[in-house]
Amino acid sequence: MLITEYRGETANLKVLAREIEADPHLAGKCSLTLTPLRQDRRDSLRHAQWAEISISVAAGLATNTLYDALKALVERARDRGPVDEVNPRSEDGGEDTEGPEGTDR
């Protein structure tokens, strides 16, 4: 299972989650988990709430079309605000050293 995680503003990631659920290529094929993060950024002038979104896709479903649709939605989210990819990991919780390009798509 391919698990991709992104960190950003909660509101932006909620929009991303809705867009993923509404996308015809991704709907029903991705499992989403949105986790609020504690505010430890005292030096930040921004008052936004931060969160991480975890997007899981079964390995057999990780096709080029699905990956490209997800990538496009993440790029749209980046246009709205900061969205940083957290180190990708596999289902067993270890880091995926090959990254998305090394997966079976």
Side-chain angles (χ1 to χ4, degrees), residues 6-7 17 21 24 33 36 55 57 62 66 68 77 84 89 97 100 104:
Y6 297 94
R7 182 175 296 136
E21 291 169 347
T33 305
I55 306 166
V57 180
L66 198 138
D68 290 344
D84 299 318
R89 59 186 174 92
T97 56
D104 229 0

Side-chain angles (χ1 to χ4, degrees), residues 22-23 26-27 37 40 53 57 70 74 82 99:
D23 187 277
L26 300 172
L37 295 176
D40 285 337
I53 188 169
V57 180
L70 181 59
V74 169

Side-chain angles (χ1 to χ4, degrees), residues 40-94:
D40 285 337
R41 299 172 182 237
R42 294 181 189 187
D43 59 340
S44 175
L45 297 176
R46 302 187 77 175
H47 298 287
Q49 296 295 315
W50 291 84
E52 285 183 354
I53 188 169
S54 178
I55 306 166
S56 305
V57 180
L61 297 176
T63 64
N64 284 339
T65 303
L66 198 138
Y67 180 75
D68 290 344
L70 181 59
K71 184 177 173 183
L73 291 178
V74 169
E75 287 303 316
R76 283 178 52 183
R78 284 187 174 130
D79 288 342
R80 291 189 297 264
V83 175
D84 299 318
E85 186 169 2
V86 180
N87 291 333
R89 59 186 174 92
S90 60
E91 181 181 26
D92 61 6

